[in-house]
Amino acid sequence: MAKPNFQFQKRQKELERKKKMEEKQQRKLAKKDRLPGSIESTSPGGETE
């Protein structure tokens, strides 16, 4: 019976975790970019005198 390669499994798990974190960061940045634009366009007092 072959021995399991724990280093390979650990590396794969680390890569998967890093990928998930990067995707989460991208979603967070996209959400952050989207929110301020919508808040500014609907802010009260937008009338000019």
Side-chain angles (χ1 to χ4, degrees), residues 23-37:
E23 289 174 356
K24 185 176 181 180
Q25 186 70 22
Q26 290 298 322
R27 286 193 306 265
K28 203 172 189 181
L29 288 174
K31 186 176 181 182
K32 185 176 181 182
D33 289 343
R34 203 173 30 203
L35 287 176

Side-chain angles (χ1 to χ4, degrees), residues 2-47:
K3 291 171 53 176
N5 189 349
F6 290 114
Q7 290 179 338
F8 178 78
Q9 292 174 346
K10 182 178 180 182
R11 177 73 176 142
Q12 293 302 311
K13 190 174 184 179
E14 288 175 0
L15 290 174
E16 185 179 334
R17 186 179 302 134
K18 188 177 281 190
K19 181 181 174 186
K20 283 185 179 182
M21 291 298 287
E22 288 176 2
E23 289 174 356
K24 185 176 181 180
Q25 186 70 22
Q26 290 298 322
R27 286 193 306 265
K28 203 172 189 181
L29 288 174
K31 186 176 181 182
K32 185 176 181 182
D33 289 343
R34 203 173 30 203
L35 287 176
S38 63
I39 292 172
E40 290 176 7
S41 63
T42 59
S43 62
E47 298 176 16

